[in-house]
């Protein structure tokens, strides 16, 4: 009876502390400190909350299992510790069938559960829009980016980011104006077609909590709805050569009016049409080989 009361009086303050701690959490803390969240603002894309929920809930389950495991270890060390009056060896047990089954079934259930949730969320995230409102064709190239705005028939061709050589600039700083920039209108169904001009790259917008490989000769797709205006950092997430670390870009999610104005600015600069596969290194190599074979 006395031990039960002790446990009760220990559990009450522990539970109260846990409730207070959770109630005092900010949006950033409740999101597991994942990027892309600002207190009081909507998630960056329609998939951001889904990814975050999976991340946080997985950690809650795993930490729960961890606390149970650590508690059982501590309990065993305290209850079954060797006392001064003990002599000889304790009773030796070869195995315990119920415990063996428990230790097999629980991990199996956890693995199946995590796999099922992963498959469900992946299917939602990877589902393409039947009728995207904005279509972008993005090309990764060593070590910059090209963006075709397919609906508007204009393009942007980026260059590798340049170091900031101005006086007083920190070592390693880059010139912000040289960053390749992709504009997206807020609240629209956007499909980004991902291609590579030379080697494998990876299109990663950090705050989107989403990245996808860009493979030469293959088109991958990213379907999102940007839900919060702002500027978001992006980079190549696949080691692609000497200047991989400088293969940066940014995404500006803007209003429809600002998006239209940007498209018009590209048109005014003469960037009309589309940058196709004629600039792909592999295509050019294939053409050279074909021409050489024909000449023979």
């Amino acid at each position: 009876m006395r031990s039960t009361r002790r446990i009760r009086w220990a559990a009450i303050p522990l539970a109260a502390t846990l409730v207070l701690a959770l109630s005092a959490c900010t949006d950033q803390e409740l999101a597991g400190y994942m990027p892309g969240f600002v207190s009081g603002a909507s998630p960056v894309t329609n998939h951001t909350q889904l990814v975050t929920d999976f991340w946080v809930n997985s950690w809650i389950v795993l930490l729960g299992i961890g606390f149970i495991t650590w508690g059982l270890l501590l309990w065993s060390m305290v209850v079954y510790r060797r006392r001064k009056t003990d002599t000889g060896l304790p009773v030796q047990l070869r195995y315990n069938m119920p415990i063996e089954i428990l230790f097999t079934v629980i991990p199996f259930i956890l693995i199946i559960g995590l796999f099922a949730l992963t498959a469900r969320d992946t299917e939602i995230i990877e589902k393409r829009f039947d009728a995207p409102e904005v279509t972008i064709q993005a090309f990764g190239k060593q070590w910059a980016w090209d963006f075709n705005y397919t609906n508007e028939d204009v393009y942007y061709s980026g260059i590798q980011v340049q170091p900031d050589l101005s006086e007083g600039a920190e070592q390693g700083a880059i010139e912000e104006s040289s960053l390749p920039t992709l504009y997206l209108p807020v609240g629209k169904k956007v499909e980004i077609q991902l291609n590579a001009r030379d080697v494998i790259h990876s299109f990663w917008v950090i705050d989107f909590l989403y990245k996808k490989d860009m493979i030469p000769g293959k088109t991958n797709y990213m379907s999102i709805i940007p839900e919060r205006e702002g500027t978001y950092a992006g980079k190549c997430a696949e080691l692609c050569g000497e200047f991989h670390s400088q293969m940066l870009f940014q995404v500006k999610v803007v209003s429809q009016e600002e998006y239209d104005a940007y498209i018009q600015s590209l048109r005014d600069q003469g960037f009309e049409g589309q940058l196709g596969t004629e600039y792909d290194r592999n295509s050019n190599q294939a053409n050279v080989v074909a021409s050489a074979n024909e000449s023979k």
Side-chain angles (χ1 to χ4, degrees):
M1 179 67 71
R2 184 175 299 175
S3 61
T4 303
R5 289 178 179 175
R6 289 177 179 175
I7 293 174
R8 184 185 304 166
W9 285 110
I12 290 174
L14 180 62
T17 302
L18 183 61
V19 170
L20 288 173
L22 291 175
S23 62
C25 287
T26 64
D27 292 344
Q28 185 71 25
E29 291 166 340
L30 291 173
Y33 294 98
M34 296 284 275
F37 283 86
V38 175
S39 182
S42 61
V44 179
T45 76
N46 59 318
H47 297 320
T48 308
Q49 190 66 54
L50 183 67
V51 176
T52 303
D53 288 344
F54 181 79
W55 169 264
V56 173
N57 292 332
S58 297
W59 270 110
I60 290 174
V61 172
L62 296 174
L63 285 175
I65 295 170
F67 282 123
I68 292 173
T69 304
W70 300 325
L72 290 173
L73 286 171
L74 292 173
W75 178 76
S76 299
M77 287 187 287
V78 172
V79 173
Y80 297 107
R81 71 187 184 280
R82 186 178 182 86
R83 293 169 173 81
K84 294 180 179 180
T85 57
D86 292 340
T87 58
L89 294 174
V91 178
Q92 302 297 297
L93 300 176
R94 291 183 179 274
Y95 59 86
N96 184 299
M97 186 57 71
I99 293 180
E100 294 288 345
I101 294 175
L102 184 69
F103 286 169
T104 302
V105 170
I106 290 180
F108 181 77
I109 293 174
L110 288 172
I111 292 171
I112 293 298
L114 290 173
F115 176 82
L117 293 173
T118 302
R120 181 202 66 183
D121 291 353
T122 300
E123 183 178 4
I124 294 172
I125 293 172
E126 295 297 327
K127 183 176 177 57
R128 294 176 61 187
F129 296 124
D130 293 331
E133 298 170 275
V134 177
T135 301
I136 306 292
Q137 188 176 26
F139 288 94
K141 59 185 182 181
Q142 291 178 314
W143 288 271
W145 308 84
D146 292 338
F147 302 122
N148 283 332
Y149 296 86
T150 305
N151 304 79
E152 294 82 6
D153 196 35
V154 296
Y155 69 88
Y156 169 90
S157 182
I159 62 171
Q160 183 178 330
V161 294
Q162 301 298 304
D164 188 350
L165 303 178
S166 61
E167 186 176 353
E170 296 183 3
Q171 184 176 4
I174 63 171
E175 187 179 330
E176 295 292 333
S177 60
S178 68
L179 269 173
T181 303
L182 172 64
Y183 277 73
L184 299 177
V186 68
K188 300 295 184 180
K189 295 179 181 179
V190 178
E191 179 177 87
I192 305 177
Q193 302 172 1
L194 303 172
N195 303 91
R197 294 205 182 281
D198 32 52
V199 300
I200 295 178
H201 300 284
S202 185
F203 186 86
W204 182 26
V205 184
I206 300 168
D207 286 348
F208 288 9
L209 305 182
Y210 188 32
K211 62 182 176 181
K212 186 168 281 189
D213 282 350
M214 312 172 85
I215 303 172
K218 176 180 173 59
T219 301
N220 284 329
Y221 298 90
M222 181 181 290
S223 299
I224 57 171
I225 301 177
E227 295 184 341
R228 192 175 81 225
E229 294 185 24
T231 301
Y232 305 103
K235 60 176 66 177
C236 176
E238 185 77 30
L239 183 59
C240 58
E242 182 179 3
F243 298 103
H244 161 70
S245 62
Q246 298 178 32
M247 192 170 171
L248 309 174
F249 68 100
Q250 62 183 356
V251 174
K252 287 184 178 290
V253 178
V254 298
S255 65
Q256 184 65 50
E257 292 75 16
E258 189 172 348
Y259 177 78
D260 292 338
Y262 174 72
I263 294 298
Q264 186 59 47
S265 72
L266 292 178
R267 189 169 284 114
D268 293 342
Q269 296 175 69
F271 299 143
E272 293 188 278
Q274 302 285 275
L275 298 174
T277 57
E278 67 272 13
Y279 296 101
D280 292 2
R281 183 190 302 171
N282 297 327
S283 297
N284 293 333
Q285 290 175 347
N287 292 334
V288 170
V289 173
S291 299
N293 292 334
E294 290 176 0
S295 63
K296 292 179 181 180

